[in-house]
């Protein structure tokens, strides 16, 4: 009877650890929701307002919804973001839309479109990435000086194809697998056959 109770207890522990692994699941954020990644009609406030209501964590995925050859995505440092400059890029320019970006470091992150005057017209995103969901929502970043309203020569319409906020594509990346709960779950699951062999 004691062996049976030990077996049940071990099974419960394994299931609890396996479930813990999925409690901090990644979130897929469609940048701008239905607006997508385009030159917003109301300037830079569109993306700063969108980001202010979100919590970004390591392992989360940003989906930039845009049409290839009409927009791009480039991560830049704050100085380049403020100047709408593609100087000192962080990583490669993403030119094929829609595209996914997995958040893999904490802190401030800045993204711009480098095509024409799109960034100056408000197609840029600043976010704060936290390590855990217990972190408070970041305070909204102050918006930069008013941007000129877009003209028909400087912007393109929002994409009409590709994923939308209602239909989020399956991400290409996997969640951060280095968390202690996933390591513990893997260890316990690999020890289970050995434990069962000792009991029976």
């Amino acid at each position: 009877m004691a062996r049976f109770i030990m077996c049940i207890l071990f099974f419960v522990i394994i299931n609890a650890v396996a479930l813990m692994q999925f409690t901090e699941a990644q979130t897929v954020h469609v940048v701008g929701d239905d607006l997508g990644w385009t030159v917003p009609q109301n300037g830079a406030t569109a993306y700063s307002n969108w980001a202010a209501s979100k919590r970004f964590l390591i392992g989360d995925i940003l989906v930039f919804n845009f049409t290839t050859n009409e927009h791009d995505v480039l991560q830049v440092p704050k100085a380049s973001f403020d100047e709408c400059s593609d100087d000192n890029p962080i990583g490669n320019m993403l030119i094929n839309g829609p595209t996914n970006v997995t958040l893999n470091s904490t802190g401030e992150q800045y993204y711009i479109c480098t095509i024409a005057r799109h960034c100056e017209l408000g197609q840029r995103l600043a976010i704060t990435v936290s390590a855990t969901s217990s972190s408070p929502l970041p305070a909204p970043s102050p918006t930069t000086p008013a941007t000129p309203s877009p003209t028909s020569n400087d912007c393109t319409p929002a994409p009409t194809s590709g994923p939308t906020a209602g239909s989020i594509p399956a991400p290409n990346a996997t969640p951060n697998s280095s968390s202690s709960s996933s390591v513990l779950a893997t260890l316990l699951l690999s020890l289970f056959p050995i434990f069962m062999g000792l009991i029976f």
Side-chain angles (χ1 to χ4, degrees):
M1 183 67 169
R3 285 185 183 173
F4 179 73
I5 292 173
M6 290 285 289
C7 182
I8 295 296
L9 181 63
F10 187 73
F11 181 73
V12 168
I13 291 171
I14 286 180
N15 283 326
V17 170
L19 288 174
M20 276 185 1
Q21 176 179 348
F22 297 106
T23 60
E24 291 282 332
Q26 67 191 23
T27 300
V28 176
H29 303 278
V30 177
V31 175
D33 292 328
D34 290 337
L35 174 64
W37 183 241
T38 189
V39 177
Q41 294 299 316
N42 60 343
T45 60
Y47 292 113
S48 60
N49 289 343
W50 174 82
S53 66
K54 308 287 186 235
R55 182 184 314 273
F56 301 99
L57 302 174
I58 289 182
D60 284 0
I61 296 173
L62 297 177
V63 176
F64 289 87
N65 234 353
F66 65 94
T67 303
T68 301
N69 296 326
E70 292 183 11
H71 303 284
D72 59 31
V73 178
L74 183 64
Q75 185 176 2
V76 294
K78 182 169 181 9
S80 296
F81 176 83
D82 291 339
E83 297 172 6
C84 282
S85 166
D86 59 0
D87 292 343
N88 305 312
I90 300 170
N92 296 322
M93 183 179 302
L94 305 171
I95 58 173
N96 296 318
T99 192
N100 297 347
V101 173
T102 302
L103 304 175
N104 55 19
S105 62
T106 60
E108 298 289 323
Q109 295 187 18
Y110 304 94
Y111 301 90
I112 63 171
C113 179
T114 66
I115 294 179
R117 295 184 55 233
H118 293 191
C119 179
E120 289 92 347
L121 296 169
Q123 191 175 1
R124 55 185 170 175
L125 173 67
I127 63 170
T128 302
V129 180
S130 302
T132 64
S133 61
S134 61
S135 304
L137 278 173
S141 302
T143 56
T144 53
T147 56
S149 60
T151 64
S152 60
N153 295 338
D154 288 332
C155 68
T156 55
T160 57
S161 63
T164 64
S167 63
I168 299 173
N172 296 336
T174 57
N176 185 357
S177 60
S178 64
S179 69
S180 59
S181 62
S182 67
V183 171
L184 182 59
T186 303
L187 175 66
L188 289 176
L189 287 173
S190 64
L191 291 176
F192 183 71
I194 296 170
F195 182 74
M196 292 305 290
L198 294 175
I199 291 178
F200 297 108

